[in-house]
Amino acid sequence: MLINKVIKPNSLLSEKLRDLVVIIIFLFFFIGIGLPLISLISKAFHNYNNEFVGLKNFSEYLKSPNIFSSFKNTFFISIFSTSVSLILGFIYAYGISRCNLFSKRFLKLAILLPLFAPTMLHGISLVYLFGRMGLVTTGFFGHLPFLKMNINLYGPVGIIISEVMYTLPQVYLILLVSLKNSDYRLYEVSETLGGNKFKQFISVTLPSCKYAIFSSMIVSFILSFTDFGGPKVVGGNYNVLATDIFKQVVGQQNMERGAVISILLIIPALLAFFIENNISKKQRDVFNGSSTEYKVKKCVPRDIFFNVFSYLIATAIILLIITPVVTSFIKMWPYNFKLTLNNYKFFDLNGGPLSFYKNSLIIALFTSLAGTIISYLCAYISLKTEEIILIKKINNLFFIIPLALPGMVLGLSYIFFFNSQSFYLPFIGEIANPFNLIYRTIYILILVNIIHFFSVTYMTAFTGLKKLDKEFETIASSIGIPWYKTLFKVTIPLTLDTIGEIFMYYFFNTMTTVSAVIFLYTSTTTLATVAMINLNDMGDQAKAAAMGALIIGTNLFLKFIYELIKNWRKNEK
């Protein structure tokens, strides 16, 4: 047997089936992650003629005059964006959890709005506001000249603002959980010992949040280090590693150089990921299930400050989200402000960009369905087969690797593997590649999205399943009920909320992603986010904004429907 189980089904067929599922999971991830990464690494050590050249590609790239500036720029953007996101996110989360704020429900929704929009849309919004002919840059087109301000958008300033917009919700969510889990008894003890509010903040609040602070720093760093959308729209001539890969692969068709940059991009992301993973484990260890909930006391000066701050941040976010939506209805910004629907003419079924939006919907739905099933099943098998063996260790490694892989790196690795007619396996040699059949089809886009967003959904499913009482399986096993019947009749009904969260996460991210699919689409499988990039490159920002508005509207509509269903289920209970 492949697995020695703590829970032993009476049925041998059930036992064999579980072993088969583990093997299928291994093969799925070996094909979806292992072989593409092997192909990527191999490509970096070969030339155009597929001849082994060792470290020559790395040497040539590192000697190029622009390499140092790309590395320096990428690290600068990531560190600066992370610092700003951390400060803003901590203050916002502190206000939500520790202060009396007006309409907290609205503030909680506002901070999460960037999650529903593609990162390119943040850049497009900034162009409309702070570009050369932007609303603020021109002093509201000369009507309010005293408000005229030029922030030199194109370059590091624009990228940093875009990255802060992108990473702020993630930082806020991590810190909010930590602040909510702080034990109020520590504050009571500090107050009894005569500690003032400042001392409580230094000696209690910060120490209790230190792991969350470090974790949010690493997450923000990885996201901004590997992001492509923001730098592509507002980066100008300011090179970063993500845009370097795009230029080498799409602009110069230099696949070997693209593989080299991908590996260089992976290394810092992997290091940051393993640091964050270690910090997260420590953070989970300090959470105490018996902690007393924090009691918010009245303090007028504090509440005024946090209300003003929170609503300023919320207003800025809403402004950046609404601006491209509004401008998508304007005939020709900034010369003709007549309202029009011309920018939405991709609703024409005769070959217009409606096909891009339809492709995104189809891929998002199939990715969400398949991804939810796969991540849930992986979490269930991983949790219910407790004795660790080699194949399970490999699977567990596959489950977390996608979290550290930049989307562009994953997409490029898919080109090298799935576009190849054959591939090499150690100890076996060169064999034909049957998976080449899905290249240039919609299926490869579904697969890359399932893998790209898998780690978070797997951990969500694992956490949800871990909360269930283990006695369900024990009792079912003792009376001869197979594990799969227990799964469908007991486990799944008890974790429907978790399944819904996984589905929504996959859908939102698939609708807004561009980095993982930018190298894999064809003329018939172009996605809405890719269309946004192409429209923006052609100078048609209004249509790009309209496409972005469609994506936001779709995500918000689905979120609304999902919340209605959740509320209905709660009322039924």
Side-chain angles (χ1 to χ4, degrees), residues 5-280:
K5 302 173 182 64
V6 172
I7 300 172
K8 296 182 178 180
N10 292 331
S11 169
L12 183 61
L13 176 62
S14 173
E15 198 172 296
K16 291 283 187 182
L17 180 60
R18 192 187 302 229
D19 291 343
L20 179 62
V21 170
V22 173
I23 294 173
I24 292 173
I25 289 171
F26 167 76
L27 292 175
F28 176 80
F29 283 95
F30 185 64
I31 294 165
I33 298 178
L35 290 175
L37 286 182
I38 291 171
S39 300
L40 174 73
I41 295 170
S42 174
K43 193 70 174 179
F45 295 95
H46 289 76
N47 63 14
Y48 182 78
N49 296 318
N50 207 28
E51 299 169 340
F52 183 78
V53 294
L55 296 173
K56 182 180 178 182
N57 293 329
F58 288 89
S59 176
E60 289 180 352
Y61 178 65
L62 293 173
K63 287 179 182 177
S64 61
N66 294 326
I67 175 58
F68 178 73
S69 64
S70 291
F71 264 102
K72 182 185 69 174
N73 293 346
T74 306
F75 275 98
F76 170 74
I77 292 295
S78 301
I79 292 170
F80 201 100
S81 301
T82 297
S83 301
V84 176
S85 292
L86 182 63
I87 294 170
L88 298 181
F90 185 88
I91 298 174
Y92 202 98
Y94 190 91
I96 292 292
S97 61
R98 304 290 177 86
C99 303
N100 297 301
L101 301 184
F102 176 72
S103 187
K104 281 189 180 182
R105 191 173 182 180
F106 166 77
L107 293 173
K108 289 178 181 178
L109 175 62
I111 191 72
L112 298 180
L113 284 177
L115 298 177
F116 299 102
T119 55
M120 300 83 65
L121 198 66
H122 306 159
I124 291 172
S125 179
L126 290 171
V127 170
Y128 278 121
L129 292 172
F130 301 103
R132 295 184 181 91
M133 294 298 293
L135 193 66
V136 178
T137 309
T138 59
F140 292 81
F141 307 113
H143 297 294
L144 299 172
F146 59 93
L147 294 178
K148 184 176 181 180
M149 180 174 59
N150 186 358
I151 65 171
N152 296 316
L153 176 68
Y154 299 99
V157 174
I159 299 175
I160 288 171
I161 297 174
S162 179
E163 299 305 338
V164 169
M165 179 86 162
Y166 174 41
T167 59
L168 184 57
Q170 331 273 353
V171 171
Y172 156 79
L173 288 172
I174 296 171
L175 293 172
L176 183 67
V177 171
S178 180
L179 288 165
K180 280 188 173 182
N181 280 281
S182 296
D183 194 341
Y184 185 67
R185 289 173 295 186
L186 297 174
Y187 293 90
E188 290 179 321
V189 171
S190 177
E191 192 172 335
T192 302
L193 295 174
N196 56 33
K197 295 298 182 183
F198 180 75
K199 285 185 178 179
Q200 288 179 16
F201 181 79
I202 298 298
S203 61
V204 181
T205 303
L206 289 181
S208 66
C209 295
K210 62 182 178 181
Y211 294 125
I213 291 171
F214 288 131
S215 182
S216 60
M217 285 173 59
I218 299 300
V219 169
S220 179
F221 178 86
I222 294 174
L223 290 173
S224 54
F225 191 85
T226 59
D227 182 45
F228 169 73
K232 181 69 175 69
V233 176
V234 293
N237 296 321
Y238 194 82
N239 291 331
V240 294
L241 289 175
T243 53
D244 271 1
I245 296 177
F246 183 79
K247 290 174 183 176
Q248 292 295 331
V249 174
V250 176
Q252 302 180 26
Q253 294 295 304
N254 191 337
M255 297 297 186
E256 296 76 21
R257 180 68 64 86
V260 168
I261 304 173
S262 295
I263 292 174
L264 296 176
L265 190 64
I266 287 176
I267 294 172
L270 277 174
L271 290 174
F273 164 74
F274 284 115
I275 293 171
E276 192 277 334
N277 192 50
N278 186 49
I279 291 170
S280 295

Side-chain angles (χ1 to χ4, degrees), residues 44 154 156 205 307 377 399 401 416 448 541:
Y154 299 99
T205 303
N307 267 287
L377 186 60
F399 295 163
I401 283 178
F416 296 143
V448 75
Q541 280 188 335

Side-chain angles (χ1 to χ4, degrees), residues 416-423 430-437:
F416 296 143
F417 175 66
F418 289 100
N419 190 36
S420 176
Q421 298 295 326
S422 62
F423 60 90
E430 198 82 13
I431 62 174
N433 185 2
F435 308 107
N436 175 258
L437 293 173

Side-chain angles (χ1 to χ4, degrees), residues 399-462:
F399 295 163
I400 64 170
I401 283 178
L403 202 59
L405 283 180
M408 295 188 75
V409 172
L410 189 62
L412 190 59
S413 70
Y414 270 43
I415 291 180
F416 296 143
F417 175 66
F418 289 100
N419 190 36
S420 176
Q421 298 295 326
S422 62
F423 60 90
Y424 176 82
L425 281 178
F427 310 111
I428 297 177
E430 198 82 13
I431 62 174
N433 185 2
F435 308 107
N436 175 258
L437 293 173
I438 72 169
Y439 191 69
R440 300 179 65 83
T441 69
I442 200 170
Y443 303 109
I444 195 171
L445 297 173
I446 294 172
L447 178 61
V448 75
N449 280 310
I450 290 173
I451 297 296
H452 188 206
F453 304 117
F454 176 82
S455 294
V456 173
T457 58
Y458 164 77
M459 289 187 288
T460 302
F462 191 90

Side-chain angles (χ1 to χ4, degrees), residues 184-380:
Y184 185 67
R185 289 173 295 186
L186 297 174
Y187 293 90
E188 290 179 321
V189 171
S190 177
E191 192 172 335
T192 302
L193 295 174
N196 56 33
K197 295 298 182 183
F198 180 75
K199 285 185 178 179
Q200 288 179 16
F201 181 79
I202 298 298
S203 61
V204 181
T205 303
L206 289 181
S208 66
C209 295
K210 62 182 178 181
Y211 294 125
I213 291 171
F214 288 131
S215 182
S216 60
M217 285 173 59
I218 299 300
V219 169
S220 179
F221 178 86
I222 294 174
L223 290 173
S224 54
F225 191 85
T226 59
D227 182 45
F228 169 73
K232 181 69 175 69
V233 176
V234 293
N237 296 321
Y238 194 82
N239 291 331
V240 294
L241 289 175
T243 53
D244 271 1
I245 296 177
F246 183 79
K247 290 174 183 176
Q248 292 295 331
V249 174
V250 176
Q252 302 180 26
Q253 294 295 304
N254 191 337
M255 297 297 186
E256 296 76 21
R257 180 68 64 86
V260 168
I261 304 173
S262 295
I263 292 174
L264 296 176
L265 190 64
I266 287 176
I267 294 172
L270 277 174
L271 290 174
F273 164 74
F274 284 115
I275 293 171
E276 192 277 334
N277 192 50
N278 186 49
I279 291 170
S280 295
K281 288 180 181 178
K282 292 181 179 179
Q283 183 181 346
R284 288 192 292 269
D285 291 340
V286 300
F287 280 169
N288 186 353
S290 62
S291 297
T292 303
E293 186 178 353
Y294 188 89
K295 297 176 183 177
V296 180
K297 296 181 179 179
K298 187 176 181 180
C299 179
V300 175
R302 179 204 65 194
D303 292 341
I304 290 175
F305 169 79
F306 280 97
N307 267 287
V308 172
F309 175 87
S310 299
Y311 274 93
L312 282 175
I313 296 296
T315 302
I317 290 173
I318 292 172
L319 180 64
L320 285 171
I321 294 295
I322 286 181
T323 296
V325 177
V326 172
T327 53
S328 67
F329 293 100
I330 292 176
K331 190 168 185 179
M332 186 177 291
W333 180 280
Y335 306 106
N336 189 337
F337 288 95
K338 289 183 178 179
L339 297 180
T340 180
L341 291 175
N342 286 342
N343 297 322
Y344 287 86
K345 280 194 173 177
F346 43 65
F347 278 107
D348 180 12
L349 293 174
N350 298 321
L354 173 63
S355 60
F356 307 151
Y357 175 69
K358 184 176 70 175
N359 288 342
S360 286
L361 278 179
I362 292 172
I363 290 171
L365 286 172
F366 278 98
T367 298
S368 302
L369 289 170
T372 300
I373 294 170
I374 293 168
S375 56
Y376 190 89
L377 186 60
C378 287
Y380 182 85

